[in-house]
Amino acid sequence: NTIHIFHHLMDQTTKASGRAGPEHDEEFVDILEERRRSSDLGHALRTFNPHPYRGAPPCSTADLNKAVLESQYLRYVIAMETGSSEEDVREEARGILEEMSQNLQLRFIRLMGYTLTKVFKRLFTGIFVNMEGLATLQQAIQEAPVILMPNHRSYVDFLVISYILFTYDIPVPVIAAGIPLAGMKMVGEILRRSGAFFIRRAIGSDKLYWAVLSEYVKTIVRKGYAPMEFYVEGLRSRTLKSVTPKLGMMHMVLEPYFKSEVFDITLVPVSISYDRVLEESLLAHELLGVPKPKESTAGLLKAGKVLQEDYGTMHVNFGRPLSVRQLCQGKINRCQYNSAPRSKNLPQKPTEEAQACVSWLAHLMVRIQDEGSVISPWSLMACLLLQAPMAVLAEEGLPWERLAERTLWLRRLALDCGAGLNWPGQTPDSDVMSSAVALHRSVVYRRAGRVYLLQQEEPARKRPISPEEAVMRIATAVLMLASYRNQSLHVFARPALLATALHITKSTQRDELFACFCFLQDVFSYEFILVPGELSQDFEEACVLLEKCGAVHISQQEVTLSDMGLEALSFLRALIQPFIDSYQVMFRYLSEEGDPVLTEKQLVPAVRNRATKLILSGELRTYEALSSDTLKNALSALQRLEAVTKLRT
Amino acid sequence: MSCLNFNVSHVLSQLNLCQYLPFHRQEIMKWNGWGYSDSRFLFNKKGQAEFTGKRYKLSGMIIPGLKEWFEGTFGANLQHKSPPILNSSAVRPPTLNEAFVEELKSTGVPFSHDAEDRVFRAYGHCVHEIFALREGRIGRVPDLVVWPNCHNDVVKIVELACKHNVCLIPYGGGTSVSSALECPSEETRSIVSLDTSQMNRILWIDEKNLTAHVEAGIVGQDLERLLNESGYCTGHEPDSMEFSSLGGWVATRASGMKKNIYGNIEDLVVHIKMVTPRGVIEKSCQGPRMSTGPDVHHFILGSEGTLGVVTEVTMKIRPMPEYQKYGSVVFPNFEQGVACLREVAKQVTPDFYLIFSSGHALKPQVSSIFTSFLDGLKKIYITKFKGFDPNRLCVATLLFEGNREKVLQHEKQVYDIAAKFGGLAAGEDNGQRGYMLTFVIAYLRDLGMDYYVMGESFETSVPWDRVLDICQNVKARIVHECKERGVQFTPLSTCRVTQTYDAGACVYFYFGFNYRGLSDPVHVYEQVEHAAREEILANGGSLSHHHGVGKLRKEWMSETVSNVGIGMLKSVKDYVDPNNIFGNRNLF
């Protein structure tokens, strides 16, 4: 039954996101085009006439906050808090709410609209939106409370959905944001008034904070006067790769349905894809251990230089609205909540059933975001560039013809695997690839028929650079390249895991292959986000895809290699190889390290040092082992597999 | 008594020489629809709606607005008629247990295996039952009907049934809406319908203790009329009281609309006598309350004919109320109305007041169809001056009865509370009208079925904190399911709060739809009702407040009362009726 629903769902999303080439361009409309033709001010001052859920009247910040503070649930929690007087606790709750709450005002949406038009026009050649998705969203918003669930790849997209919805007369969302944003002078307040509400990062066991937050979220969902937007991944992905979803917010959002307080909730996955990301080099540095600057308004203004460059296009793909009621059929027994009064269920931990359902749904949303994302030619090129030896790429370069030829080959493979490709049909292929390289001149450059990896020049060097520094310089470019590869990783993840399993086991038996596939997935569960409990379907899918691209023959019992598919198989294996190599560095370090107890803070730099040495000695080929993200994922996987444990000190 | 009921019984006694239900009920009642044969809604030649007959206040009257409501709500069209196909000859011949019949003859208890008598007792009033009858589709029906005249007759019949292994199905008023009367298709034995209608006497009235000892076959209106003649009443007034019987009330745990004053059936009975295959069960005295282990009455109350036949009941009675007053309140919306009812349930001692209904008024609610509820001035006043949205209005109808002074005092108290929730008093007439409608609403469904409209109501009980959500979600589920199943017109999906308790309320849902274009409308109906019941349970509502389980809601019994609970019920059944003589297979 699950399988059936899932496939049905996938069929639907496939249709909705309009994957697979030709129709693609027709369906997406550049919303900046009109802005370039007509007045920005006119747009900002347009009559805004949205149709909310059930015609719900707008809810002022004061009313909303009052409803939250006076809710039976919060009153109960406040009364239960011990240690200080009830009045003090109430004051504290009020304080939390003040810090948290959004203050959505149309005036600021207009101001935001005006500013963003200016910024977007400067940054992007186009912002492409699927109009059909917008139309279904408009409908869906009138029928049930809507949760907008975008992926998060750049600061730029924080308000882009609000901007689009404002332009098309759809109620503007309230948006869950991290508290650091609130601390930015002016910007924090502008975001607040544009609908952002702010959540602390480490809430831990602060019961009162949890209670205020969850009641706040649930009240917004129940009232349904505005859609709620949040990042199920919990943060901006530093690697442009999907992140294991966080479940806390997801659970809060779903609970009004679980507890039958609303008839249904609609989830709308939104996939935002970039040709080029503003923060690209910042992110690479961060991954290499250069600390992330604290969000500050001054920092933002310094980014002025960043604004001078061309970032190509942005695609915003609104997925098909999904009914929580339908998705949860057979997964949640709502009767379990019937015996407790509605207002008083704080001590109750969510049941295993509910947790499993929330986790499933969260992963599913990530998968649909992946499926809906639009893949650029550059991402395919990045996949290929990364498979060349880096020293060679940096010093000798790669013949352009060869790269172009391989890219066109990979385009076919990607389409076979169902990728939503943004490959302009009217432009000659060679021009498409040339302009992709030109757009990414911060990573690669083309000279005399060869493509080279760009190594950033450091100004005014006093001394010659050390071998370690040289490694870091290449690593910066490699990690940028890896990020762009990551944009299409989800397309190849399943077949690539199978290709690797075929290689490791040297077996043709399905069950052996499946066991190895599961093992790999288990180890790399933080790298490739698959929906829990659907491994056998993923395996089947992988088999079918490999057969489709001619790499294997499948029968009831066996998966056999085909001579035709060696190129595909070796490409797919090579895609996984950097992860295997990086994880092995971590494993080896841990098993060779004498001291069985290590602090987390020391571990990543230590392994990074080890990796640098291995690269210099030629024992390690991948620079991705230097990425703190990869290393942290490896550690999390080990933790999950109970090979290491985290001690709290 | 209420004006309406007074009229009903009064008119009845003039019209029919036979005051009680006759042996052959089909002579005065519809066999494939609700109520008396002479009373029905129809659209006359001018296209006006009319209610025929002389029994009710509404009888012989033209009902303006019904046609528009009917067409507007359901998309029904008077050109598209779906009249019943009359075909009672499709009844299979009876499977008789000759030895049983022979011995039955010697007891002198009247019986019949006439096809019409048997068909009449094979069905209750669920949509699928009536629809099948109208289409002339008749399934398994009882093979024989017996009419015991008293407790001892029942003892004899049950003994014979045990001796000859015959299946007995007790039949009282026949107003079941739970498939309780359906003959199990897998039953191979001869099925005998035990019609209690001739056991209809009040055996004694005890003025000292204010109790009456009554034979269980008596129907509600006869019981009230006879008691009224002596200056008493029971106050038990379920919507079906014209036809439903005392024994049936006991067997299903019935509830009446005045339960806030008088109590539900379990509060009203003092003593029950039931004949089972193991013998007769009754308590040794008429003590008003006992601490003697679990109350054995509660094995009988709600047993739905699976354990035996209730033959005699001692009930509490009360002097007829000295004073009665109707009333009604309009609320700006359903939420406010419910909040008011909750507050009233909290504040007002329930002795002398009654609130019996609150529902979405003007647009969806049935009561609005008979009369434009708010005439001219009032409408302007309510909608313009007070800012009420006519599409969201909600009406509560009230009946106060008892001591005059107290009635007036409680009335004021209730209206004061209502005012706090934005409620406006809307007059006595409207209250009375709402009350009167209760009895004729059931006739409406037959009219619908004449024009491709199928409808039903079902109920639940739910804690106060879930009332609004359950109403919203179940209504939405009905609309949603209809859409899913290809129903072309938006269905009627509405609800009322009909009873209030300290800890919750009873909620009724009304569901009707135009089934033109559907190949199997009954199946669609059943699927939607099934989904609605699931939604009710998921929202913390009960499986049933007073309609019972029957066979229609059996599948949810174990999750409702737990497996241990089912085991308890089964072990009682196994002891009392090891050979499943009372084989209607209700409950579990």
Side-chain angles (χ1 to χ4, degrees):
Chain A
N1 193 24
T2 342
I3 296 172
H4 178 76
I5 290 171
F6 188 78
H7 279 299
H8 174 71
L9 202 85
M10 285 299 135
D11 285 351
Q12 292 293 321
T13 42
T14 307
K15 273 178 219 147
S17 59
R19 290 189 318 200
E23 315 141 350
H24 200 81
D25 295 320
E26 296 160 35
E27 212 187 303
F28 281 81
V29 169
D30 179 10
I31 60 163
L32 286 187
E33 202 177 298
E34 205 186 319
R35 293 288 75 72
R36 296 192 203 280
R37 279 191 276 109
S38 65
S39 147
D40 293 348
L41 201 59
H43 169 255
L45 297 175
R46 64 190 302 279
T47 323
F48 182 56
N49 188 19
H51 300 280
Y53 166 51
R54 288 210 211 132
C59 180
S60 76
T61 305
D63 287 348
L64 177 67
N65 291 1
K66 194 170 162 225
V68 172
L69 270 182
E70 287 177 4
S71 67
Q72 292 227 21
Y73 174 65
L74 215 58
R75 270 194 267 171
Y76 173 71
V77 174
I78 288 170
M80 293 295 283
E81 283 280 307
T82 49
S84 39
S85 80
E86 205 172 309
E87 198 36 57
D88 288 350
V89 182
R90 198 186 314 282
E91 246 345 281
E92 197 188 333
R94 189 170 293 133
I96 293 173
L97 194 58
E98 235 159 68
E99 172 196 276
M100 180 184 303
S101 69
Q102 49 82 19
N103 187 11
L104 184 60
Q105 292 173 1
L106 189 56
R107 286 183 290 152
F108 277 80
I109 293 293
R110 294 186 189 286
L111 174 67
M112 179 269 307
Y114 183 73
T115 320
L116 285 186
T117 303
K118 297 283 183 211
V119 172
F120 287 155
K121 281 202 291 197
R122 171 161 289 181
L123 291 177
F124 299 108
T125 50
I127 295 180
F128 289 89
V129 179
N130 63 328
M131 285 303 159
E132 211 181 304
L134 267 189
T136 47
L137 172 63
Q138 186 157 37
Q139 191 58 38
I141 276 181
Q142 292 170 53
E143 285 163 9
V146 164
I147 314 299
L148 292 161
M149 303 180 67
N151 52 3
H152 194 17
R153 300 292 176 259
S154 165
Y155 280 131
V156 175
D157 56 42
F158 189 75
L159 287 174
V160 78
I161 291 181
S162 308
Y163 179 79
I164 296 169
L165 300 197
F166 169 69
T167 308
Y168 290 93
D169 270 342
I170 302 173
V172 178
V174 296
I175 312 166
I179 199 92
L181 285 178
M184 295 169 73
K185 255 182 221 145
M186 294 264 297
V187 176
E189 197 51 34
I190 292 174
L191 292 180
R192 200 184 283 277
R193 292 181 188 211
S194 304
F197 66 96
F198 300 98
I199 305 173
R200 290 182 195 163
R201 277 285 175 229
I203 304 172
S205 58
D206 187 342
K207 274 191 202 151
L208 186 66
Y209 192 87
W210 274 116
V212 174
L213 175 61
S214 77
E215 188 60 27
Y216 187 70
V217 168
K218 286 187 266 182
T219 306
I220 294 172
V221 174
R222 283 191 294 249
K223 282 187 182 276
Y225 68 98
M228 156 103 58
E229 177 182 329
F230 81 98
Y231 302 114
V232 70
E233 296 167 301
L235 40 77
R236 186 170 50 106
S237 164
R238 267 56 169 168
T239 57
L240 304 190
K241 181 152 60 71
S242 298
V243 179
T244 306
K246 304 283 180 291
L247 305 183
M249 186 72 178
M250 188 76 191
H251 193 267
M252 285 177 214
V253 159
L254 293 174
E255 217 176 57
Y257 171 72
F258 290 171
K259 296 194 171 162
S260 298
E261 293 166 337
V262 293
F263 179 70
D264 199 357
I265 292 172
T266 303
L267 305 181
V268 179
V270 184
S271 313
I272 302 178
S273 331
Y274 295 89
D275 277 353
R276 188 180 164 206
V277 180
L278 269 77
E279 300 97 322
E280 52 179 18
S281 77
L282 204 66
L283 291 175
H285 281 113
E286 205 181 306
L287 291 173
L288 289 170
V290 182
K292 171 192 171 195
K294 195 171 177 284
E295 281 94 342
S296 73
T297 310
L300 191 76
L301 293 176
K302 257 185 244 159
K305 199 186 78 186
V306 173
L307 297 185
Q308 304 302 323
E309 296 199 27
D310 176 11
Y311 293 92
T313 61
M314 179 204 271
H315 277 79
V316 183
N317 188 359
F318 289 90
R320 189 175 67 99
L322 300 168
S323 150
V324 169
R325 170 174 281 268
Q326 224 173 335
L327 289 169
C328 291
Q329 223 168 34
K331 289 189 184 288
I332 273 288
N333 176 11
R334 287 180 289 152
C335 294
Q336 66 187 295
Y337 302 101
N338 283 347
S339 294
R342 313 214 98 178
S343 50
K344 309 204 161 97
N345 24 32
L346 176 69
Q348 225 179 4
K349 258 199 88 172
T351 58
E352 255 174 61
E353 184 195 44
Q355 277 176 316
C357 182
V358 169
S359 165
W360 176 76
L361 261 178
H363 282 82
L364 184 64
M365 288 305 117
V366 172
R367 172 157 189 185
I368 297 174
Q369 286 171 355
D370 278 345
E371 306 258 343
S373 64
V374 170
I375 289 165
S376 63
W378 168 246
S379 175
L380 299 181
M381 296 172 89
C383 289
L384 293 166
L385 286 169
L386 272 177
Q387 294 190 5
M390 281 309 126
V392 176
L393 190 59
E395 303 303 331
E396 297 160 32
L398 216 64
W400 169 254
E401 287 308 322
R402 173 78 182 134
L403 177 64
E405 183 193 314
R406 291 272 289 158
T407 305
L408 293 177
W409 169 83
L410 185 55
R411 179 176 68 170
R412 253 194 329 275
L413 187 70
L415 288 175
D416 278 345
C417 291
L421 219 50
N422 173 33
W423 193 295
Q426 307 85 344
T427 323
D429 289 340
S430 59
D431 292 357
V432 171
M433 290 183 277
S434 300
S435 60
V437 168
L439 185 67
H440 291 277
R441 57 180 162 273
S442 53
V443 187
V444 291
Y445 61 97
R446 190 174 155 191
R447 188 195 299 147
R450 295 183 88 81
V451 182
Y452 297 86
L453 191 70
L454 181 82
Q455 298 180 64
Q456 281 171 344
E457 297 297 328
E458 305 253 337
R461 288 214 146 271
K462 284 182 188 136
R463 54 185 172 79
I465 54 168
S466 68
E468 284 79 12
E469 281 169 330
V471 168
M472 283 314 219
R473 280 177 62 191
I474 294 183
T476 310
V478 170
L479 290 190
M480 280 157 75
L481 211 47
S483 296
Y484 290 110
R485 170 207 61 196
N486 286 346
Q487 288 180 320
S488 52
L489 201 58
H490 65 268
V491 174
F492 303 115
R494 290 167 189 76
L497 286 172
L498 179 56
T500 308
L502 279 163
H503 183 71
I504 294 173
T505 58
K506 307 272 185 255
S507 168
T508 58
Q509 296 300 308
R510 261 171 182 261
D511 44 355
E512 273 179 63
L513 288 169
F514 181 57
C516 183
F517 182 88
C518 292
F519 169 75
L520 289 171
Q521 197 281 326
D522 220 12
V523 172
F524 294 118
S525 61
Y526 290 90
E527 304 292 348
F528 316 112
I529 314 300
L530 302 189
V531 180
E534 283 168 8
L535 266 183
S536 57
Q537 287 153 249
D538 287 322
F539 179 73
E540 284 310 314
E541 231 174 277
C543 291
V544 171
L545 288 179
L546 278 193
E547 189 180 46
K548 202 170 154 197
C549 37
V552 297
H553 303 293
I554 50 179
S555 69
Q556 204 73 2
Q557 298 295 326
E558 287 191 307
V559 179
T560 45
L561 299 183
S562 137
D563 296 338
M564 308 282 293
L566 292 179
E567 192 179 4
L569 287 175
S570 75
F571 165 79
L572 291 169
R573 271 202 329 267
L575 206 58
I576 302 272
Q577 200 58 44
F579 297 99
I580 296 180
D581 292 344
S582 304
Y583 275 46
Q584 273 174 348
V585 174
M586 170 65 94
F587 299 162
R588 214 172 296 150
Y589 181 85
L590 286 172
S591 45
E592 286 166 13
E593 182 62 34
D595 189 354
V597 179
L598 294 159
T599 69
E600 215 178 337
K601 239 187 180 156
Q602 297 164 342
L603 182 64
V604 170
V607 181
R608 192 182 278 133
N609 276 341
R610 164 75 65 92
T612 311
K613 286 198 183 91
L614 288 172
I615 289 170
L616 284 172
S617 70
E619 284 172 78
L620 179 66
R621 279 188 49 181
T622 179
Y623 284 71
E624 291 181 57
L626 301 172
S627 159
S628 56
D629 186 77
T630 309
L631 296 179
K632 280 177 186 162
N633 282 346
L635 196 60
S636 301
L638 287 173
Q639 219 176 307
R640 204 176 67 87
L641 297 169
E642 293 173 347
V644 300
T645 45
K646 201 170 183 172
L647 304 172
R648 304 217 175 266
T649 49
Chain B
M1 271 316 311
S2 87
C3 191
L4 169 72
N5 291 330
F6 229 66
N7 273 6
V8 172
S9 33
H10 193 65
V11 171
L12 201 64
S13 57
Q14 288 175 342
L15 280 179
N16 299 302
L17 293 173
C18 171
Q19 294 173 2
Y20 301 103
L21 288 175
F23 280 61
H24 309 292
R25 296 192 200 183
Q26 58 272 27
E27 287 164 5
I28 60 160
M29 290 171 69
K30 297 189 193 86
W31 65 280
N32 61 358
W34 179 260
Y36 297 107
S37 305
D38 55 27
S39 301
R40 57 187 291 250
F41 285 102
L42 53 77
F43 289 113
N44 63 25
K45 282 175 191 151
K46 291 180 187 163
Q48 296 161 314
E50 184 181 326
F51 192 63
T52 62
K54 291 177 179 164
R55 294 174 192 270
Y56 299 90
K57 239 187 161 179
L58 208 62
S59 297
M61 280 168 59
I62 300 287
I63 303 106
L66 179 57
K67 179 170 170 257
E68 287 68 31
W69 176 82
F70 189 67
E71 291 176 334
T73 305
F74 297 105
N77 186 324
L78 298 195
Q79 307 307 316
H80 299 282
K81 244 192 136 181
S82 53
I85 301 156
L86 296 167
N87 176 19
S88 58
S89 60
V91 187
R92 269 179 295 172
T95 314
L96 295 176
N97 182 319
E98 295 300 339
F100 174 80
V101 176
E102 274 313 301
E103 285 206 52
L104 187 62
K105 268 183 195 157
S106 67
T107 63
V109 177
F111 65 89
S112 157
H113 49 75
D114 173 72
E116 287 190 7
D117 289 330
R118 287 161 54 217
V119 169
F120 196 95
R121 284 156 187 83
Y123 296 99
H125 286 273
C126 291
V127 163
H128 67 268
E129 295 177 306
I130 298 299
F131 193 82
L133 285 175
R134 287 171 62 96
E135 297 227 303
R137 282 186 282 115
I138 290 157
R140 179 83 156 95
V141 305
D143 300 299
L144 198 74
V145 181
V146 289
W147 285 272
N149 193 44
C150 62
H151 172 77
N152 285 337
D153 283 355
V154 176
V155 173
K156 283 182 216 158
I157 293 166
V158 173
E159 270 171 12
L160 287 181
C162 292
K163 185 173 169 194
H164 298 289
N165 195 22
V166 160
C167 172
L168 287 179
I169 298 184
Y171 183 87
T175 56
S176 148
V177 283
S178 60
S179 303
L181 290 169
E182 262 175 38
C183 298
S185 54
E186 64 270 39
E187 182 58 68
T188 53
R189 297 172 295 182
S190 181
I191 299 178
V192 173
S193 176
L194 190 152
D195 184 318
T196 59
S197 62
Q198 304 311 305
M199 307 197 297
N200 54 23
R201 287 159 291 248
I202 294 179
L203 298 177
W204 45 255
I205 293 175
D206 179 346
E207 290 87 354
K208 259 270 171 347
N209 294 310
L210 284 178
T211 53
H213 192 67
V214 189
E215 288 184 315
I218 195 166
V219 296
Q221 60 171 317
D222 293 336
L223 176 61
E224 285 307 303
R225 177 171 48 80
L226 293 173
L227 285 175
N228 289 173
E229 281 167 13
S230 316
Y232 294 102
C233 67
T234 64
H236 185 71
E237 294 186 15
D239 295 359
S240 61
M241 70 172 291
E242 292 170 275
F243 308 106
S244 57
S245 69
L246 172 54
W249 299 338
V250 170
T252 56
R253 296 181 63 87
S255 171
M257 49 191 153
K258 293 184 180 174
K259 75 99 198 144
N260 277 5
I261 313 176
Y262 300 94
N264 286 319
I265 193 69
E266 67 272 20
D267 311 309
L268 288 167
V269 294
V270 176
H271 187 272
I272 305 173
K273 199 191 265 185
M274 177 166 81
V275 182
T276 77
R278 279 276 172 189
V280 175
I281 173 173
E282 62 180 317
K283 291 184 185 174
S284 66
C285 65
Q286 307 254 8
R289 182 185 188 272
M290 304 181 195
S291 173
T292 49
D295 190 340
V296 292
H297 279 172
H298 285 287
F299 291 129
I300 301 169
L301 286 154
S303 59
E304 302 196 2
T306 58
L307 299 178
V309 186
V310 177
T311 53
E312 290 172 17
V313 176
T314 308
M315 267 184 107
K316 297 186 212 167
I317 55 172
R318 297 275 278 269
M320 288 172 68
E322 164 196 319
Y323 184 69
Q324 266 192 333
K325 196 164 183 197
Y326 292 96
S328 62
V329 184
V330 184
F331 293 96
N333 56 47
F334 188 62
E335 291 76 6
Q336 303 263 76
V338 171
C340 173
L341 291 198
R342 203 278 163 273
E343 195 56 32
V344 169
K346 238 194 253 176
Q347 285 192 18
V348 185
T349 48
D351 288 2
F352 291 94
Y353 86 92
L354 168 83
I355 282 191
F356 90 83
S357 120
S358 152
H360 280 182
L362 296 179
K363 211 171 168 197
Q365 216 225 10
V366 207
S367 56
S368 63
I369 59 183
F370 293 94
T371 165
S372 59
F373 172 71
L374 303 160
D375 38 42
L377 274 177
K378 233 180 208 164
K379 185 166 188 173
I380 292 169
Y381 174 67
I382 288 181
T383 55
K384 291 270 156 50
F385 292 86
K386 291 280 177 177
F388 284 18
D389 173 356
N391 292 322
R392 302 193 64 213
L393 280 184
C394 151
V395 185
T397 46
L398 317 164
L399 172 59
F400 304 88
E401 58 179 55
N403 167 290
R404 185 166 191 278
E405 219 170 286
K406 282 213 166 158
V407 162
L408 295 178
Q409 183 195 329
H410 279 120
E411 187 191 28
K412 183 176 180 321
Q413 210 179 341
V414 169
Y415 282 124
D416 284 349
I417 294 172
K420 283 188 197 139
F421 293 90
L424 291 174
E428 274 181 75
D429 284 358
N430 288 314
Q432 193 171 352
R433 213 171 277 134
Y435 194 70
M436 174 190 80
L437 284 175
T438 315
F439 297 97
V440 289
I441 278 177
Y443 285 97
L444 255 186
R445 184 170 77 188
D446 293 332
L447 176 74
M449 285 214 194
D450 285 340
Y451 296 94
Y452 292 96
V453 171
M454 194 177 269
E456 182 79 290
S457 60
F458 39 88
E459 41 72 16
T460 187
S461 55
V462 64
W464 279 114
D465 65 349
R466 293 174 181 273
V467 169
L468 289 179
D469 289 337
I470 205 173
C471 289
Q472 162 202 293
N473 291 344
V474 173
K475 286 194 295 182
R477 180 77 181 260
I478 289 171
V479 173
H480 186 79
E481 294 285 335
C482 281
K483 209 170 166 189
E484 293 267 287
R485 298 177 203 293
V487 175
Q488 294 175 12
F489 304 90
T490 310
L492 169 79
S493 171
T494 182
C495 64
R496 298 200 296 168
V497 173
T498 62
Q499 298 278 16
T500 62
Y501 291 87
D502 294 342
C506 169
V507 178
Y508 253 81
F509 294 98
Y510 298 87
F511 161 44
F513 68 105
N514 185 327
Y515 64 82
R516 238 183 315 145
L518 296 178
S519 60
D520 191 352
V522 169
H523 184 61
V524 170
Y525 170 79
E526 285 173 334
Q527 285 179 313
V528 176
E529 188 188 330
H530 189 273
R533 182 57 62 180
E534 271 182 351
E535 193 62 36
I536 287 172
L537 297 175
N539 279 269
S542 66
L543 188 53
S544 171
H545 170 262
H546 62 276
H547 282 173
V549 176
K551 290 179 272 291
L552 192 60
R553 288 175 274 273
K554 244 163 94 158
E555 64 179 289
W556 292 290
M557 259 304 263
S558 65
E559 69 181 82
T560 299
V561 302
S562 82
N563 287 330
V564 178
I566 288 283
M568 285 175 162
L569 296 179
K570 277 191 176 151
S571 64
V572 170
K573 167 78 178 175
D574 288 346
Y575 172 75
V576 172
D577 183 17
N579 297 318
N580 196 27
I581 297 302
F582 288 90
N584 61 18
R585 299 187 196 235
N586 291 337
L587 283 179
F588 44 72

